[in-house]
Amino acid sequence: MSSAAAVEGRPLAGHTTRLPWPFPDDLDSFRYSVNVEPARVPRPTAAGEWGAHIVDLGGEEYGAMMAERRRILDADPHRVRILPGMLPACWDLLLYYLRDLAISFPHIMELSEDGDHLHWRNHALGTDQSFVLGDAASLPYDPMTFLGREIPDDLLLVKERDGRLCFDAGLVTFAAAWSVSFDVGMTMDEIHNPVPRLTKEGITSRAEQFLRRLPADQVYRRVNWTLSASGSRKLDVSLEELPAWGTDIPALVRDEEWGRLQLRIEVEHFVRLPMTGAVTFNIRTHMTSLDEIRRVPPWRDQLARVVLELPEDLATYKGFADYREPAMAWLTGEVTA
C-alpha cells in the first residue's frame, strides 16, 4: 500500500485505496478522447492500486451495492431492456462473466460446467443456481438480469445493425443522468451527440472504429469522470430517479458543503463476446468525496488543476461550471482534522 494510505495519522477508507483514479500522474488538463488501454493490468495510484480484474467487487461494499441493485431491479423492471434478437448475446455475456468471476475470485465464486449444464455458486451473496445454457426456464431471471444481480457493473450490449453500432440491450441501475429505457436502440452517434466536441472532433467515429476492430481475445478499458449529480455517495442518479436527487446539488451549493461533493468515476470495460461477436460495454461506478480526496495531496492538487482548466462547454456539460471555483478553493485549502 502506498505511503499515502494514511494522512496525518488518519487511515484512508478501503474504497479510497482501491479507487481507479482517472488521471495519469502528469496530466494537468482533460479533453475527451478514445483513452482505452489493456484491461486486467494493475495500476498503482497515490493511495493504492486498482485494475487487476475486469470486475471490481468492491471489498466490504460489495454486499451493500448488490442489495441496492437488487432493490432497484425489483422495484423497476424497466431498468433491463433487451431488444428482439439479443437474447443469445445475453447468454454469451452471462457465461463469459461467470467464467471470469470464478477464475478471478475462486475463494468466493465457483462455476461447474458439464456441457450445457452449469452450476453457479456465489458464497458472498448466497447464490446457488444450477441452469442449462440457453434454457430461459432454468434461471429465475433472464440471463442479463441474473448476471446483473451478481456483479456491480451496469451491463450494455452493442451490436452492428444496418451498418451502425447500436445499443440493443442493457441492465442499468446506476446511470449518471440518463435512462436505459430512453437510450436502448440508439446508435453510438445518437447516444454521444449531446457530449460537446465528441462528434465534431471525430472522437465518436474513432470509438466506433475501435469497437468494430475489437478482437475476441483481448479486453480493454477506459476511465471517465465527473463531479456527481448528487451530494452523497448515491449511485443511482438516473433520469428515472430525478425527483429524488435533483435538489441535492443546489442544496449543497447553497450550504457550501463542498466536502460532501462527489467525484464520480466510471471504469468501462470492452469485451467482444466469443460466441455471438456482440460487444459488451460495461460500467463500474466508484464514488469518493472531496473530503476524502483532500486527504491524498497528489489527488487534491491534480483534481483542482484539471477541473479549473476545463473549457466552459465541457464544465457546463459535466454540470459543475457554476460552482467549480468555490469547490476547488475549498479542496485546496488547509486540511482540517
Side-chain angles (χ1 to χ4, degrees), residues 187-329:
T187 66
M188 296 288 286
D189 276 338
E190 291 169 334
I191 290 173
H192 293 110
N193 192 54
V195 184
R197 306 180 183 218
L198 284 194
T199 300
K200 182 178 179 180
E201 296 181 4
I203 297 170
T204 301
S205 63
R206 291 198 296 274
E208 282 211 23
Q209 292 172 17
F210 165 77
L211 292 178
R212 290 177 188 277
R213 297 170 181 169
L214 184 66
D217 60 345
Q218 297 179 38
V219 181
Y220 289 85
R221 68 189 180 204
R222 70 181 292 269
V223 184
N224 195 16
W225 68 278
T226 189
L227 296 183
S228 174
S230 169
S232 65
R233 294 186 67 194
K234 187 184 298 180
L235 292 170
D236 184 13
V237 287
S238 59
L239 292 182
E240 288 88 345
E241 289 295 304
L242 180 58
W245 60 263
T247 60
D248 285 0
I249 285 296
L252 183 150
V253 172
R254 180 195 66 222
D255 298 335
E256 298 184 340
E257 294 182 337
W258 305 118
R260 294 178 51 239
L261 190 65
Q262 302 289 311
L263 176 65
R264 180 185 178 103
I265 302 168
E266 297 178 348
V267 179
E268 303 163 355
H269 277 92
F270 307 93
V271 181
R272 183 172 298 282
L273 297 172
M275 294 189 294
T276 61
V279 173
T280 177
F281 176 102
N282 296 340
I283 304 172
R284 170 67 158 89
T285 301
H286 303 258
M287 306 281 279
T288 190
S289 69
L290 292 197
D291 183 60
E292 292 164 325
I293 291 171
R294 191 163 68 162
R295 295 165 56 197
V296 184
W299 289 0
R300 174 197 67 203
D301 298 339
Q302 185 180 42
L303 181 63
R305 292 194 301 268
V306 168
V307 168
L308 293 174
E309 190 278 337
L310 202 67
E312 192 72 13
D313 58 342
L314 296 183
T316 299
Y317 170 74
K318 286 181 174 290
F320 52 70
D322 293 339
Y323 62 83
R324 59 175 164 171
E325 291 188 6
M328 294 303 102

Side-chain angles (χ1 to χ4, degrees), residues 6-326:
V7 178
E8 295 186 348
R10 300 169 60 195
L12 297 176
H15 75 269
T16 303
T17 64
R18 298 187 303 273
L19 192 74
W21 187 247
F23 309 120
D25 291 343
D26 58 350
L27 183 79
D28 289 323
S29 63
F30 172 84
R31 300 295 185 271
Y32 282 111
S33 64
V34 188
N35 57 319
V36 295
E37 64 180 24
R40 297 193 181 103
V41 178
R43 182 192 288 181
T45 73
E49 184 179 273
W50 69 278
H53 307 295
I54 65 170
V55 176
D56 180 351
L57 296 183
E60 67 275 6
E61 299 178 322
Y62 176 53
M65 288 186 70
M66 298 316 302
E68 176 65 0
R69 160 156 288 168
R70 292 179 175 193
R71 181 196 66 79
I72 294 169
L73 292 174
D74 290 342
D76 186 2
H78 293 98
R79 299 297 186 96
V80 183
R81 296 296 306 275
I82 302 172
L83 295 189
M86 291 300 292
L87 198 55
C90 293
W91 283 106
D92 201 359
L93 177 74
L94 174 62
L95 182 58
Y96 183 94
Y97 268 80
L98 294 188
R99 285 173 169 171
D100 184 83
L101 289 165
I103 293 171
S104 299
F105 308 103
H107 56 296
I108 57 173
M109 296 177 172
E110 304 173 55
L111 180 67
S112 302
E113 299 186 51
D114 182 8
D116 289 340
H117 294 262
L118 295 93
H119 189 179
W120 169 249
R121 296 180 182 89
N122 180 341
H123 300 290
L125 298 181
T127 309
D128 190 331
Q129 180 69 49
S130 296
F131 65 96
V132 179
L133 191 67
D135 181 1
S138 65
L139 281 177
Y141 312 96
D142 68 82
M144 176 172 276
T145 301
F146 183 83
L147 177 60
R149 295 173 74 95
E150 299 293 302
I151 65 174
D153 301 55
D154 284 326
L155 307 171
L156 298 86
L157 283 171
V158 176
K159 188 175 182 181
E160 187 164 348
R161 176 163 49 82
D162 300 326
R164 308 298 299 275
L165 291 181
C166 301
F167 166 40
D168 278 0
L171 179 152
V172 182
T173 61
F174 301 141
W178 62 283
S179 166
V180 63
S181 292
F182 183 80
D183 283 10
V184 73
M186 286 187 176
T187 66
M188 296 288 286
D189 276 338
E190 291 169 334
I191 290 173
H192 293 110
N193 192 54
V195 184
R197 306 180 183 218
L198 284 194
T199 300
K200 182 178 179 180
E201 296 181 4
I203 297 170
T204 301
S205 63
R206 291 198 296 274
E208 282 211 23
Q209 292 172 17
F210 165 77
L211 292 178
R212 290 177 188 277
R213 297 170 181 169
L214 184 66
D217 60 345
Q218 297 179 38
V219 181
Y220 289 85
R221 68 189 180 204
R222 70 181 292 269
V223 184
N224 195 16
W225 68 278
T226 189
L227 296 183
S228 174
S230 169
S232 65
R233 294 186 67 194
K234 187 184 298 180
L235 292 170
D236 184 13
V237 287
S238 59
L239 292 182
E240 288 88 345
E241 289 295 304
L242 180 58
W245 60 263
T247 60
D248 285 0
I249 285 296
L252 183 150
V253 172
R254 180 195 66 222
D255 298 335
E256 298 184 340
E257 294 182 337
W258 305 118
R260 294 178 51 239
L261 190 65
Q262 302 289 311
L263 176 65
R264 180 185 178 103
I265 302 168
E266 297 178 348
V267 179
E268 303 163 355
H269 277 92
F270 307 93
V271 181
R272 183 172 298 282
L273 297 172
M275 294 189 294
T276 61
V279 173
T280 177
F281 176 102
N282 296 340
I283 304 172
R284 170 67 158 89
T285 301
H286 303 258
M287 306 281 279
T288 190
S289 69
L290 292 197
D291 183 60
E292 292 164 325
I293 291 171
R294 191 163 68 162
R295 295 165 56 197
V296 184
W299 289 0
R300 174 197 67 203
D301 298 339
Q302 185 180 42
L303 181 63
R305 292 194 301 268
V306 168
V307 168
L308 293 174
E309 190 278 337
L310 202 67
E312 192 72 13
D313 58 342
L314 296 183
T316 299
Y317 170 74
K318 286 181 174 290
F320 52 70
D322 293 339
Y323 62 83
R324 59 175 164 171
E325 291 188 6

